Amino acid sequence: MTEDWIHYFNQPNYKVINAFEGLDEDRLKNGIDSFHQLKTVDWDTVDIALIGVNDARNSVHKGSAEAPDLVRSYLAGLRSLSKPLTIVDLGNIRGNTIDDRYKALEDILLHLQTLKVIAIVLGGSQDYTLPMAKAVRQYQPKYNLAILDSRIDWLLHAQDYSATNYLGKICEQEGVAPKDVSFVGVQKYLYSQKQEAELNKHSYEILRLGQIRQLGHRLAEPVLRDADLLSVDMTVVRQCDQPAHITPMPNGLSGEELCQLMWYAGQSDRLNVIGIFEQDVHADKGCQGIVLTAQAIWHILEGIALRYNDYPAKDLDLYRQFIVYLDDYELEIKFYNNPDNDRWWVEIPGEGGGVDVIACGRTDFETASANEIPEKWFRYIQKKSL
C-alpha cells in the first residue's frame, strides 16, 4: 500500500543551507531519506515521517504555502541528533482542492500511526489541524490536543471556516472532538471573554504567556507530555524573534522558549502527530522566522531521540508512589514519580469506578501536600462532570 503513496506527494525542492562550518557528515541531512528516491521502505525501521503542506488559501499568511521547502533547507543543514533516528521525507501533499489535500493528509497520517511512525507536518496554514485531528481520532478515540498559539482560533457562532476559526470544527464535530484540549502561550488581551467562557465550559486548560513567564516554561511540560496531537501557530513567538507573520506582535514566547517547549513535546511518549504552521515567508526578514522553525523542529527530533520511554510505555509500579490525604476534603490522591527525571503523574477518578492517570508536575504534589486540591486534578474532575 505504501508504494502508492508516491501519488499523494510532490517531491520537495530545496537546497541544504549549512548552519555551521565543519564536517559535512555531521549534518541532519544525512539522516533524512527522500521517499521519492527510495525504491522500497522498511517502515518497521522508520521513526519519523516529514510531510509538507504548501497550501495557505485559508490563511492571511499566504506566504506560508512556500514555507515547507525553505524550512527543509535550514533543517537539513543543522547538526545531526544525539541519537540517530530514521527519517523519511514523504514530500509535499498533493490535491487540486483543499478537500483533496485534507483527505490525503488524513489517510496518510492514519496509516503512519498504525505503522508506529511519528509524523511532523510542515505547514502551510493551521486549518490543516482538522485532518490531523480526524486521523488521530480514528486511531485513538480518546486523544488529547495541545495548541501553541497567541490567540484562540474559535470565532463563536461564525459561519466562515479558516485558519482563524478551525477549532469549532474540531471541538464540536462528532467523531473528531478530542478528550481534552490545552492552549499554551495565549495572550489574554487577544481573545474575548466569550471565547474564554467557552473554553471554561469545556474545562479546557489555558496556560497564558504571563503564567509561563511567571512560573517558568516547565509549567507546560506536563501538558505537552499528555498530548497525542500538537498544533503550533508560529505567531505564538514574538515578532522580534519570529518576523514571518503580518500582524504586529511585540509580546510572545521567545525563540529559546519555543525550542525548549518543542523539546518537551518531543520527549512525550504519547505524541504521534505534530504540525507547525503560519510561517509567512513574504513577511520574513532574512529568513529569521524560517530558521527558527527549523530549529524548533530540530528540538522536537532531539527530544524524540532522547525519549525516556516513561508511562504509558513503562509500568507505573516501577515508580515511587505517594499517597496524600487532604484532611479538609476527606480526599486521598495518589501520585507517581520517576526519580530518574523527576516526572510526575497523578491518579484521577475514571469511568466505571476505575482510575485514569494524567501527567502533572512536582508543584501539584506539593500543593496536595499543603492540603489543597491541585488545579490540574480539579479541572479533570470538572470535565468528568460535564
Side-chain angles (χ1 to χ4, degrees), residues 22-281:
L23 294 176
D24 199 47
E25 305 86 65
D26 189 27
R27 300 194 191 279
L28 189 59
K29 67 177 182 180
N30 299 310
I32 302 176
D33 293 316
S34 171
F35 183 63
H36 285 76
Q37 296 175 5
L38 295 172
K39 292 183 178 179
T40 59
V41 179
D42 181 3
W43 287 101
D44 289 335
T45 66
V46 176
D47 301 298
I48 309 289
L50 299 179
I51 299 174
V53 174
N54 52 354
D55 176 60
R57 70 192 79 183
N58 274 337
S59 174
V60 296
H61 297 118
K62 301 304 180 187
S64 298
E66 302 170 31
D69 283 355
L70 267 176
V71 171
R72 287 179 170 101
S73 299
Y74 287 97
L75 176 64
L78 298 175
R79 65 159 279 175
S80 57
L81 303 171
S82 297
K83 292 183 179 180
L85 295 175
T86 302
I87 304 171
V88 173
D89 191 337
L90 293 176
N92 295 325
I93 204 82
R94 291 171 119 175
N96 293 324
T97 68
I98 195 167
D99 287 337
D100 291 341
R101 297 189 186 210
Y102 275 12
K103 181 58 177 171
L105 183 60
E106 178 185 339
D107 290 346
I108 294 296
L109 291 178
L110 176 59
H111 198 58
L112 285 173
Q113 288 174 97
T114 64
L115 294 170
K116 307 299 183 184
V117 175
I118 299 169
I120 299 178
V121 179
L122 314 177
S125 53
Q126 201 177 17
D127 55 289
Y128 275 85
T129 306
L130 177 59
M132 292 165 60
K134 287 183 176 180
V136 175
R137 172 64 188 258
Q138 289 179 70
Y139 181 74
Q140 185 172 337
K142 294 182 178 181
Y143 75 98
N144 291 339
L145 167 63
I147 297 172
L148 265 65
D149 204 336
S150 58
R151 294 178 168 85
I152 295 171
D153 295 324
W154 192 345
L155 306 179
L156 304 178
H157 312 302
Q159 297 301 314
D160 69 305
Y161 172 76
S162 68
T164 57
N165 190 30
Y166 68 91
L167 275 171
K169 289 283 188 181
I170 293 176
C171 297
E172 295 185 330
Q173 188 174 338
E174 187 176 352
V176 183
K179 178 182 178 181
D180 193 27
V181 183
S182 299
F183 297 84
V184 179
V186 291
Q187 300 176 38
K188 193 168 185 177
Y189 40 78
L190 295 180
Y191 58 91
S192 70
Q193 294 183 24
K194 289 185 178 180
Q195 288 175 308
E196 185 174 23
E198 186 69 23
L199 267 56
N200 289 336
K201 184 179 75 174
H202 289 82
S203 287
Y204 291 154
E205 186 164 12
I206 304 175
L207 291 182
R208 293 182 290 104
L209 176 65
Q211 292 172 287
I212 294 173
R213 284 285 162 75
Q214 180 182 6
L215 301 174
H217 49 64
R218 194 168 180 82
L219 179 69
E221 187 276 330
V223 170
L224 298 172
R225 187 168 13 122
D226 259 358
D228 303 288
L229 167 61
L230 173 64
S231 176
V232 181
D233 184 329
M234 285 296 291
T235 63
V236 73
V237 180
R238 60 194 182 192
Q239 200 162 32
C240 62
D241 286 6
Q242 200 291 95
H245 50 94
I246 63 175
T247 305
M249 189 63 66
N251 294 313
L253 295 175
S254 69
E256 295 91 341
E257 288 169 330
L258 174 72
C259 289
Q260 181 65 66
L261 294 179
M262 293 300 94
W263 188 81
Y264 287 149
Q267 288 262 290
S268 167
D269 294 295
R270 293 181 53 165
L271 190 62
N272 293 316
V273 181
I274 303 128
I276 301 183
F277 306 102
E278 305 294 335
Q279 312 104 26
D280 194 330
V281 302

